[in-house]
Amino acid sequence: MSEHQNEAQRLIELEDRYSAHNYHPLDVMLDRAEGIWLWDTAGKKYMDGLAAYSAVNQGHNHPRIVEAMQDQLSRMSLTSRAFRNDRFGPLCEKICTLLGYDKVLMMNSGAEAVETAIKAARRWGYDRKGIPDGEAEILVFDGNFHGRTTTIVGFSTDEGSRRGFGPFTPGFRILPYGDLDAVAAAIGAKTAAVLVEPIQGEGGVIIPPEGFLEGLRSLCDEHRALLICDEIQAGLGRAGHWLAHHRAGIRADAVTIGKALSGGLYPVSGFLADDDVMSVFDAGSHGSTFGGNPLACAVAEAALAVIEHEKLCERSQRLGTRFLEELRQQDLPVIEELRGAGLWIGIQLREDAGGARRFSEALQDKGLLLKETHVHTLRFVPPLVISDAELEHALGLIVDVLS
Ligand SMILES: *Cc1c(COP(=O)(O)O)cnc(C)c1O
């Protein structure tokens, strides 16, 4: 073994010895990143095909975001919302203007934004819709991923995420994703909200059937329930739009955003809604020590400006369509189904292909890092700043390994 391999092995052992084993990472020891590229401790270069689950849509260490962060870091990073800070108002204005909502409530992790959505929906259900106290219901879908808090995993259908963590928060009903009849049967006077991913990311890039989101919109209108889209992974360019549910030509009553909201430099998330919903929050009803801090605001403002100025939504749309077409033309026998929206590609492998993991390991050898989701799905989710030639290169590697 080389000196570098020994060092990487030592670091893996440290991690295994001292960290909880709550992930199953590829054994690649990274120490540097730039744009779409990652380097391991031996200096080997890899293309990033995961983009930190879409948190680095703008590419790693985007110079404009780094500069905004460094500049803010040298001035002020945390005041708490007990005082006002000069970066907060401008960021809230930018988010609301870009995404088309009256107000935003800033948090840090994605799960916190979803928790905020749940609280907003419940209080709105009691205060505005008149649901009897303690009886509000939120409709959710199987195969969902909304984060890792105890409330959220309580309505997950992934056994590994739930086992041993109960008792869980009541008030959620899990329906089959894509099944409007099931929603029509479940929705009613006690329904505060329908919480849905417009495309299921962790579920394996699952695109709902034609008409599903439109149908949810009509049912929510009919029964006066809030339609809340979790756009934490799907939004901010990944699916080819600022918000993925716009693909269906509808507007959700509220959305959660996170991940690419910071371009990967810092955890920043938000819950957006119009005044009718957001006004359920009064002083003391919700908050976070770090939520809306000046450093987060500076980073998020720059991260959004990059998506805007580099036209990453359009880019995602164009490159994603091309990638999907070209991969489809290859007609590879190991592929059961190809799914995609923007530069967000799910490659469903045949069950007899031996699982996705061996393909991600083979691609790692060839210099492309991506991650399987579930046993038989590979996903290709590069930073949206990838060039046409680089995308062509990635396609070649993927075809090579799957042939
Ligand atoms: C990643 C993700 C979350 C959770 O975000 P964290 O920052 O990991 O808490 C919630 N919803 C969706 C759709 C996600 O992809």
Side-chain angles (χ1 to χ4, degrees), residues 109-111 114 145-147 197 202 230 232-233 259:
S109 71
V114 174
F145 184 85
H146 296 289
E197 292 161 89
E202 294 314 291
D230 182 345
I232 290 167
Q233 186 162 164
K259 293 197 167 115

Side-chain angles (χ1 to χ4, degrees), residues 65-185:
I65 314 174
V66 169
E67 193 190 320
M69 186 169 189
Q70 282 172 337
D71 181 52
Q72 187 59 41
L73 198 51
S74 62
R75 292 201 295 132
M76 175 170 74
S77 58
L78 181 64
T79 55
S80 89
R81 297 272 315 279
F83 310 129
R84 298 187 187 261
N85 78 73
D86 67 337
R87 303 306 306 247
F88 186 58
L91 174 70
C92 294
E93 180 190 27
K94 184 164 186 86
I95 291 177
C96 290
T97 309
L98 270 175
L99 302 182
Y101 289 88
D102 290 346
K103 286 191 168 57
V104 63
L105 195 157
M106 295 306 299
M107 298 294 283
N108 314 285
S109 71
E112 288 172 322
V114 174
E115 288 279 347
T116 306
I118 292 167
K119 284 168 124 181
R122 286 179 166 181
R123 201 176 252 195
W124 177 89
Y126 301 126
D127 291 3
R128 304 277 191 275
K129 181 168 171 173
I131 298 172
D133 195 31
E135 294 181 23
E137 277 185 356
I138 296 176
L139 307 183
V140 297
F141 296 96
D142 61 4
N144 72 67
F145 184 85
H146 296 289
R148 299 293 198 170
T149 64
T150 36
T151 289
I152 292 171
V153 299
F155 58 85
S156 167
T157 51
D158 175 45
E159 189 47 25
S161 307
R162 285 171 55 89
R163 192 192 62 76
F165 298 140
F168 295 116
T169 313
F172 299 93
R173 278 175 77 175
I174 306 168
L175 306 171
Y177 189 63
D179 186 345
L180 275 180
D181 293 337
V183 180

